[in-house]
Every structure is written in C-alpha cells, then in structure tokens.
Amino acid sequence: MEFEVIFLRSCCEQISKVNRIMERGVEKETNNTTTTLAKLREKKATEEQIRTVSSKLLASLQKFRQEIVQINETHQRLLNSLLSRIETLKQQQLIQQLDNIELSEAQKELFRQKRVDRFIIDFLLREGLYETAKHLSQESDIEMSVEIEIFSTAEKIENDFNKKSCELALSWCNENKIKLKKLKSDFEIRLRIQEFSRMICESKPDFNPQNAIQYANKHFSPIFSLNSTFTSFDGTQLTIDNIKNDIIQVCSLLAFYKNNSSHIFKKYSNEESWKSLKDQFRYWNLLINSVPSDPLLCISLHSGAILLKSSECYSSQNRSQKCPICFEPISEITKDLPSAQQRTHLICRISGEKMDEDNPPIALPNGYVYSKNALDEMAVQNDGIIVCPVTNATFRVSQLKKVFIT
C-alpha cells in the first residue's frame, strides 16, 4: 500500500505546483492591469494614450488567457491521473481483503501485473529508456499511473547539460525557486558557478572579461550579503563561507583567461563537472516532485529479500531448493542487506515446506532431518529406499525416527 501512497503524493505535488503557477500568473496580471490603469488616471491621459495602453493591456490579457487554457489542460490531466491512482488504491484494498468476492482471480492477477509494470516503467525512466517506458505504459494501459511527464522534462534538461548548457536547468530553478529555497538547496548556485566558468573556459578571441564581471555582479554579489546555510545534494550542510570560497575560486579564473589551457581550468571544463550537475539535478527534481530517490522496483525487491533472508541462506549445507535467496545471483546481491527472518520453524530442504505437527520432522540415522511428506514421497518413488540428498547415503523406512519439536 505504501507504494501506491508514493504515487499519490507525487501527483498531488504536481497539481499543487500547477495551482501555484496559475495563482502567481493571475496575481501578476491583476497587479499589472491595476497599476497601469491607476497611472493613467493620475496622469490624466489623453484619449489616444488611453487607447494605446488599453490595446497593450488587452494583448497581454489575451496572451495570459491562452496560458491559462494550457494550464487548465495540464491541471485536468493531472486530476484524471490522481483519480486513476485513487481507483488503484481501492482495488488494492479489495484484493487485500481475504473474504473479498467482488474480484475474480483473473482481475486480481491483472492488477498485480499492472503493479509490477509500474515498477518496471519507473526503473526504465530512471535509466533513461523513455521510449521503452512509454511503450510499456501504453501496452499496459497505465499511462495515468506513471511519472512519464516528470522524467520527460528531466530528459530535456539532461540533454541540455550534454550540450554544456545550463539554460533549461536555470529556467527549471526559476519555476521551482520557492521549493528550492525551502529546502535550502545550493543547486542554482552550482549552476551559476558552472555557467560563469564556461564563459571563461570556452572564451573565444573576442571574449570580453567585462561581460563575465557583469555576470558575477548580478548573480554572485547578492549571495555575499546572505547569512544562511545551504544543503548539497549529498546531504552536506554548507555554510555561507563555504559558498563564498567556491565563488571566489571560480572568479579567480578571470586572472588566467588568456591561458585557459592551465590546469586550474580542468576542474570546471571536464566532463565530470557536467556529470555532477546531472546527478544534482536528478536528486532535486525527484525530491521536489515527491518521487523516491531509489527505484520502486529495487525498493520492493529489497523488502522481499529482507523478509526471506536468513542466516541459513549462506550455509552450503542448509540451503533450501525453493528459497530464491539461497542461490546466485540473488544471494550475492542481498548479502549486505539486513535480515528480518528469525527462524521460529523448520523448513524441509527437499520440499521447502514447513515442518510441524501435520508434517513432522523425521531424522535419518546420519543425523539429517527432513519432512515426513517429502520422505514418504521419496520412499514411494524408490521402493522404500530413502536417499539423503546431502551425503547420498541410503536407508530403509524402518530406520527413520520421528523428531519432536519442543
């Protein structure tokens, strides 16, 4: 159920974002219109002036009206997506009811398959396989239940990074500046530092250092008057002094711009700096949209593995044929995960069934214990002969002894 709540949360966050954009737009246009009309009254404008200003106001309002139509379409699409996800929650609740008779087994299986498809699509989107993810979402008819729009926007910004440009990322920061400020994110500052360094590192023969100085005055000077902390994408808490030192360091490039082959430029001009920006963007984009940082497929696999894993899974003698954790490659992948399994019952190594009063444990003369059902089945197949699967020793049924669990 927690996974479905995650899907609801991200959708609600997007709806809230659209509402904020609409609210700011209405407020901006209202203030602009009111202020302009007030100025006209104060100046006692002529009829010609009033006509000119009114035309401009009308054109601005018509343009805003078109924007509102697009925003409404986005809002409606997100609402439909939210309703679809709420319906998914209802189905999940029905399936979890043991006495449920409203859904057939086929319907339950279809729901489970769609749920797995959602996890796979989430994983594909994070890996950049957008077309594959879109195709699977259409085939499974779950386009309303996956975050294709969030990751599609991310794809455009990451492609812009590949072109060594921060333009789209800075535009994204402007759209989400309130959220980023609340999170004390340093991401926009990192983008400004990269933009500044790019201006110098890629300086052309007609490069004018005055342009770089103007850029620094506009975007870096206000930061020096701040007295706050920032948070890096890796969770590091940065003081304003840390930020100032980074800015001073990048500004020092101006002293060497005529020799941009110097080693000091490598820190800012290599591919690693752009890759780091991509990683930072992915982190903040997922956090702002309330999407988990780890793929849901991995989270669910880890959860299942933790429940199944026990100390016996890594013992060559006690592995169960029916336990997925006992064998490669799963055992290697899960070796560092914690275990929630505290063995309170015995499991037969042959059948994988629990040994209890209905299927009691039976001991062979060599000390190995298996379930009665498994040994009875083996005896029928081998004319009363029991073969120990560990030592290959053979025994007759009369040699077996029942073990009592205390």
Side-chain angles (χ1 to χ4, degrees), residues 1 4 86-105 107-109 111-112:
M1 185 69 78
E4 319 307 335
I86 291 172
E87 187 60 33
T88 298
L89 272 178
K90 290 180 180 178
Q91 291 181 9
Q92 175 73 5
Q93 189 176 21
L94 284 173
I95 289 173
Q96 288 179 340
Q97 294 173 358
L98 297 178
D99 58 346
N100 169 54
I101 57 173
E102 294 184 39
L103 297 176
S104 66
E105 283 302 318
Q107 289 175 310
K108 292 178 183 179
E109 183 58 36
F111 173 83
R112 295 187 188 104

Side-chain angles (χ1 to χ4, degrees), residues 154-360:
E155 179 189 18
K156 295 174 184 175
I157 294 174
E158 290 182 22
N159 287 338
D160 201 41
F161 282 143
N162 292 336
K163 299 174 185 175
K164 293 182 169 51
S165 169
C166 299
E167 184 180 350
L168 293 182
L170 287 169
S171 176
W172 177 86
C173 285
N174 186 53
E175 290 176 7
N176 298 279
K177 59 184 177 183
I178 296 176
K179 274 276 187 180
L180 290 171
K181 186 176 181 180
K182 284 182 179 179
L183 295 169
K184 298 184 177 180
S185 168
D186 69 336
F187 182 53
E188 185 175 355
I189 296 174
R190 298 302 165 192
L191 290 174
R192 295 295 179 188
I193 288 174
Q194 188 66 25
E195 275 277 278
F196 182 83
S197 67
R198 185 180 63 83
M199 291 172 63
I200 302 171
C201 293
E202 299 178 3
S203 58
K204 299 176 182 179
D206 60 346
F207 172 71
N208 184 358
Q210 193 62 36
N211 294 334
I213 293 173
Q214 289 175 356
Y215 185 93
N217 286 334
K218 180 179 179 181
H219 299 292
F220 294 152
S221 295
I223 296 173
F224 279 73
S225 62
L226 298 177
N227 186 24
S228 56
T229 58
F230 293 86
T231 304
S232 179
F233 79 110
D234 59 1
T236 305
Q237 296 297 312
L238 303 172
T239 64
I240 191 62
D241 289 334
N242 297 135
I243 299 295
K244 287 178 181 178
N245 288 337
D246 291 339
I247 292 174
I248 291 170
Q249 188 176 32
V250 75
C251 286
S252 68
L253 293 176
L254 267 175
F256 305 94
Y257 80 91
K258 291 184 178 180
N259 181 24
N260 58 13
S261 60
S262 174
H263 70 280
I264 196 172
F265 286 84
K266 292 181 180 179
K267 175 181 177 181
Y268 300 100
S269 60
N270 60 23
E271 292 297 326
E272 283 301 313
S273 61
W274 291 100
K275 183 179 180 299
S276 175
L277 282 181
K278 276 188 189 180
D279 293 338
Q280 292 178 55
F281 167 70
R282 287 172 183 171
Y283 171 81
W284 293 112
N285 184 45
L286 294 178
L287 185 61
I288 280 177
N289 288 290
S290 299
V291 177
S293 56
D294 295 318
L296 296 177
L297 181 64
C298 295
I299 294 173
S300 58
L301 287 175
H302 285 173
S303 301
I306 288 170
L307 290 173
L308 290 172
K309 181 181 175 182
S310 73
S311 58
E312 304 298 318
C313 292
Y314 298 89
S315 170
S316 58
Q317 293 185 343
N318 296 325
R319 290 178 175 176
S320 170
Q321 295 290 337
K322 293 191 175 182
C323 175
I325 312 298
C326 287
F327 298 95
E328 293 286 357
I330 304 297
S331 61
E332 182 64 25
I333 296 172
T334 58
K335 68 179 182 180
D336 294 327
L337 292 176
S339 173
Q341 186 76 269
Q342 299 296 326
R343 186 71 72 188
T344 57
H345 50 259
L346 300 175
I347 299 295
C348 176
R349 184 184 304 175
I350 298 174
S351 65
E353 296 176 350
K354 184 171 75 170
M355 291 185 277
D356 53 22
E357 60 274 9
D358 297 320
N359 184 25

